Amino acid sequence: MNRSPGYRPLTKVLHWSVVVAFAAQFSLGYALDASESGRGRGRGRGGEPGRGRGRGSGYEPFGEDALLTAHVLVGALIVVLGVARLLWRRRTDLPPWAPTLTRFERRLAHRTEVALYALTFVVPVTGVLLLASDDDDLLWVHVAAQVCFLAALACHVGLVLKHQFVDRDRLLRRML
C-alpha cells in the first residue's frame, strides 16, 4: 500500500477543476462540430452553410450561437485555471514520488505532466488563432494541439490506472 503523502487540497481542487473544464470544453467543441446550423462556425466555402469556418465568414465569438460562446468562455476559464495552477505550483512543493513508481514511470509522469501543463495553454491559444484568422486552413493546428493533449492525457491516466488496478498501490488516492 502506498503510504506517501498526497497533494495539498488546493492542488487537488485546481487539478480536478482543469479536468472538468477540459471535459466540458471537448464536449462543447464536439457539439459545435456536430451542429448542422452552420452558425458560429461560419459558412463553408462559397457562402453555403457548412462545417468549419470559411474565409470572411464574419465569425463573432459572442454572437448568436450559445454553444460557441460557451466554448470561448470555457477556453478562457481553462487559461485562468492554468495560470492559477502554475502560480500555485511555483509556490508549493510536490509530495515525494510514490515509492512504487519505477524510474521510467517517474520520467513518463514528469514528461506527461509538463506536456499537459503546456497544452493547457497551447490548445486555447490555437483556438484563438483560428478565430482571429477566420481561416479553415489553420484548423489543423488547433486539432493537432488537441490530439497532443489527448495523447499526453492517455499516458497520464494510463499510468495512474496501471498503478490503481494492476499494481494495486492506491496511487490515485494521492490526488483524491
Side-chain angles (χ1 to χ4, degrees):
M1 178 188 288
N2 181 6
R3 296 198 184 273
S4 61
Y7 291 88
R8 294 182 180 199
L10 184 56
T11 303
K12 294 175 185 181
V13 167
L14 289 171
H15 175 272
W16 292 109
S17 295
V18 170
V19 169
V20 169
F22 261 109
Q25 187 68 326
F26 277 102
S27 297
L28 288 166
Y30 291 125
L32 278 170
D33 199 38
S35 171
E36 295 180 16
S37 70
R39 288 182 327 164
R41 298 281 290 191
R43 299 268 178 201
R45 288 185 171 81
E48 297 299 317
R51 293 170 53 141
R53 299 181 15 242
R55 290 179 179 88
S57 68
Y59 173 78
E60 295 179 35
F62 300 103
E64 296 176 17
D65 193 330
L67 278 176
L68 216 42
T69 300
H71 190 67
V72 170
L73 292 174
V74 173
L77 174 64
I78 287 170
V79 171
V80 168
L81 288 170
V83 168
R85 283 191 78 191
L86 280 177
L87 292 174
W88 177 247
R89 173 62 186 92
R90 288 198 151 289
R91 295 189 56 176
T92 310
D93 291 330
L94 292 175
W97 286 108
T100 56
L101 288 172
T102 67
R103 186 174 169 193
F104 171 76
E105 290 171 335
R106 289 177 184 190
R107 272 188 270 135
L108 178 64
H110 175 71
R111 288 181 180 158
T112 57
E113 287 168 4
V114 168
L116 288 168
Y117 267 111
L119 290 161
T120 295
F121 299 102
V122 171
V123 172
V125 166
T126 60
V128 169
L129 292 174
L130 180 62
L131 298 177
S133 72
D134 200 26
D135 188 350
D136 279 335
D137 293 338
L138 290 180
L139 181 62
W140 73 270
V141 177
H142 191 51
V143 171
Q146 293 170 28
V147 168
C148 291
F149 176 86
L150 292 172
L153 181 64
C155 288
H156 182 72
V157 170
L159 182 59
V160 171
L161 292 176
K162 181 231 181 226
H163 276 269
Q164 188 68 25
F165 297 112
V166 175
D167 298 342
R168 297 182 183 259
D169 59 9
R170 300 184 180 183
L171 183 71
L172 182 60
R173 285 184 130 182
R174 292 166 50 102
M175 191 52 86
L176 293 179

